[in-house]
């Protein structure tokens, strides 16, 4: 397995993209909780990440609402199921941990869903930022709550933004 990485500038700071055999396996913020150490990122390359860079640029410019990239995140079977559910949350919407647990067939899995969500290695692209607490409040985020708020604000529908006073 050949692991490579690059750094992509974003409005949220530099993002480190990691690929295994040319397929994106991770996207991490600076000071990312549970991010890979330098020895786990592989060789630095400028090339091979053009499509990731392009789609992220479109997303941050408000021109893309869904990513279309091959992904290879590493995780156990349960984590993979949760991460697949995350990709089904529409742009501009949120779900609670409990809602995701219900989709998996067992509402008592909410904490396990939270743990899997926290270990999502492909931030932004696998939209773990779209998961909120049962009361709609922001909960933990590996990139920090300020970044989570930024992403949710970026995705907020214009009609909803127009109704807010502040």
């Amino acid at each position: 397995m050949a692991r490579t990485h690059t750094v992509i500038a974003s409005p949220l700071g530099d993002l480190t993209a990691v690929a295994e055999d040319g397929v994106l396996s991770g996207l991490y913020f600076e000071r990312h909780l549970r991010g890979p150490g330098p020895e786990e990122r592989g060789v630095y390359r400028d090339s091979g990440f053009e499509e990731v860079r392009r789609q992220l640029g479109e997303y941050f410019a408000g021109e893309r609402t869904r990513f279309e990239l091959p992904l290879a995140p590493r995780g156990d079977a349960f984590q993979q199921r949760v991460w697949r559910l995350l990709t089904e949350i529409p742009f501009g919407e949120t779900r609670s941990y409990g809602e995701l647990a219900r989709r998996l067939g067992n509402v008592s899995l909410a904490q396990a869903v939270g743990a899997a969500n926290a270990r999502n290695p492909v931030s932004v692209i696998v939209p773990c930022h779209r998961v909120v607490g049962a009361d709609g409040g922001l909960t933990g985020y590996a990139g920090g709550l300020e970044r989570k708020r930024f992403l949710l604000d970026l995705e907020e529908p214009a009609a909803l933004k127009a109704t807010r006073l502040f």
Side-chain angles (χ1 to χ4, degrees), residues 25-103:
S25 61
L27 186 68
Y28 304 95
F29 296 105
E30 294 174 285
R31 296 176 303 283
H32 191 105
L33 297 178
R34 294 178 280 302
E39 68 287 350
E40 299 171 287
R41 296 177 191 159
V43 177
Y44 180 85
R45 298 252 194 261
D46 281 326
S47 63
F49 293 90
E50 293 81 8
E51 189 62 16
V52 176
R53 195 179 309 276
R54 183 181 71 78
Q55 289 191 30
L56 282 168
E58 292 171 353
Y59 170 79
F60 286 119
E63 300 165 355
R64 174 173 289 277
T65 60
R66 185 168 185 82
F67 291 95
E68 298 169 2
L69 296 164
L71 302 175
R74 288 181 167 205
D76 63 35
F78 181 78
Q79 290 169 330
Q80 296 286 341
R81 287 175 58 206
V82 171
W83 299 337
R84 268 191 299 280
L85 280 180
L86 298 178
T87 65
E88 296 171 10
I89 302 171
F91 181 91
E93 295 184 21
T94 59
R95 299 290 184 271
S96 71
Y97 298 100
E99 288 175 279
L100 294 176
R102 272 192 293 286
R103 293 270 322 269

Side-chain angles (χ1 to χ4, degrees), residues 150-163:
F150 176 94
L151 293 167
L152 292 173
D153 287 347
L154 175 73
E155 296 183 6
E156 187 175 36
L160 186 57
K161 283 182 187 177
T163 63

Side-chain angles (χ1 to χ4, degrees), residues 97 131-139 148-149:
Y97 298 100
V131 183
V132 297
D135 64 357
L138 296 188
T139 56
K148 184 172 187 166
R149 170 53 50 209

